[in-house]
């Protein structure tokens, strides 16, 4: 009788463990189980406590957001949140020249045109830290660096090289994007 009782207990335990495993592997994902996407990742960054410390890191974060905007699916609310993150990286002078309503409209049009042309950003590469050119202009520290974007359109791959100019804020010490353009 003792052996039969032990066998029954073991069978019941195996059934419970197997049932629990089956439950875990086949249950529907809840909102808490949602995986963090690239869009969520860039949106969740708190720039007040985790601002990129170097010009290179500012351009990398800018490029992460740009890649998400041009490649990923997102809601209108997420679009605005990512645009706000971009604006937070801009120097005060650049932000003033891009009023938010017009900026959102222009950005949305640029993204639509990019996607309608069948383009996607595969990756980006910033200048090496040793290639960041720092200088002083009008008494303020500035930095100049490049970022190469690998872009795919259909079966073709292209590279777009942009030059970024950043200026260091006097109060916070943060590097902010003063301007950018296609490199010659």
């Amino acid at each position: 009788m003792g052996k039969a009782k032990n066998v029954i207990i073991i069978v019941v335990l195996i059934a419970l463990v197997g049932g629990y495993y089956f439950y875990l592997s086949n249950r529907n994902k809840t909102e808490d189980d949602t995986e963090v996407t690239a869009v969520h990742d860039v949106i969740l960054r708190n720039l007040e406590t985790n601002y990129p410390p170097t010009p290179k890191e500012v351009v990398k974060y800018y490029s992460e957001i740009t890649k998400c905007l041009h490649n990923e699916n997102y809601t209108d609310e997420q679009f605005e949140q990512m645009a706000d993150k971009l604006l937070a990286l801009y120097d005060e002078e650049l932000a003033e020249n891009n009023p938010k309503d017009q900026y959102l409209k222009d950005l949305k049009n640029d993204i639509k045109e990019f996607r309608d042309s069948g383009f996607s950003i595969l990756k980006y590469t910033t200048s090496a830290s040793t290639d960041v050119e720092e200088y002083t202009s009008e008494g303020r520290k500035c930095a100049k660096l490049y970022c190469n974007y690998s872009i795919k359109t259909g079966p073709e791959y292209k590279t777009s090289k942009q030059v970024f100019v950043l200026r260091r804020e006097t109060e916070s010490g943060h590097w902010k994007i003063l301007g950018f353009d296609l490199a010659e």
Side-chain angles (χ1 to χ4, degrees):
M1 187 96 160
K3 284 187 177 185
K5 188 177 180 181
N6 286 341
V7 170
I8 292 172
I9 290 173
I10 291 173
V11 169
V12 168
L13 286 175
I14 290 173
L16 286 173
V17 170
Y20 186 67
Y21 174 77
F22 181 79
Y23 165 76
L24 287 177
S25 60
N26 291 311
R27 69 183 174 142
N28 292 335
K29 290 196 177 277
T30 63
E31 288 180 27
D32 293 339
D33 293 335
T34 306
E35 62 184 71
V36 177
T37 64
V39 172
H40 288 110
D41 197 35
V42 296
I43 289 172
L44 292 174
R45 183 170 189 163
N46 183 342
L47 291 177
E48 289 182 23
T49 59
N50 190 19
Y51 193 88
T54 65
K56 179 178 177 173
E57 292 299 318
V58 171
V59 173
K60 280 176 71 175
Y61 183 55
Y62 170 89
S63 297
E64 287 175 34
I65 298 168
T66 300
K67 186 176 176 186
C68 285
L69 284 167
H70 288 82
N71 292 1
E72 304 293 333
N73 294 320
Y74 43 81
T75 65
D76 287 340
E77 180 183 356
Q78 290 171 323
F79 168 78
E80 284 196 36
Q81 290 172 328
M82 287 188 282
D84 286 342
K85 295 290 184 180
L86 288 176
L87 286 169
L89 297 176
Y90 289 176
D91 184 87
E92 186 178 292
E93 191 175 315
L94 181 59
E96 285 175 4
N97 290 326
N98 288 287
K100 186 173 177 178
D101 291 340
Q102 187 62 43
Y103 178 75
L104 291 174
K105 183 179 173 185
D106 292 344
L107 182 60
K108 199 171 269 191
N109 287 337
D110 288 345
I111 293 166
K112 182 179 179 348
E113 187 177 309
F114 185 87
R115 288 183 176 191
D116 289 349
S117 297
F119 292 116
S120 63
I121 299 173
L122 296 177
K123 65 180 183 173
Y124 57 88
T125 310
T126 58
S127 298
S129 297
T130 54
D131 293 333
V132 176
E133 178 187 330
E134 291 191 26
Y135 58 96
T136 303
S137 176
E138 298 176 13
R140 294 188 57 193
K141 286 188 174 187
C142 296
K144 178 180 168 183
L145 67 146
Y146 296 90
C147 188
N148 291 313
Y149 295 91
S150 297
I151 299 171
K152 183 178 184 206
T153 175
E156 295 181 31
Y157 296 89
K158 298 178 181 185
T159 300
S160 174
K161 186 175 186 177
Q162 288 195 328
V163 60
F164 287 82
V165 176
L166 293 89
R167 184 164 57 185
R168 185 175 226 154
E169 282 188 332
T170 48
E171 295 153 19
S172 69
H174 292 154
W175 289 96
K176 300 282 189 158
I177 298 171
L178 182 59
F180 51 91
D181 202 358
L182 287 174
E184 295 177 10

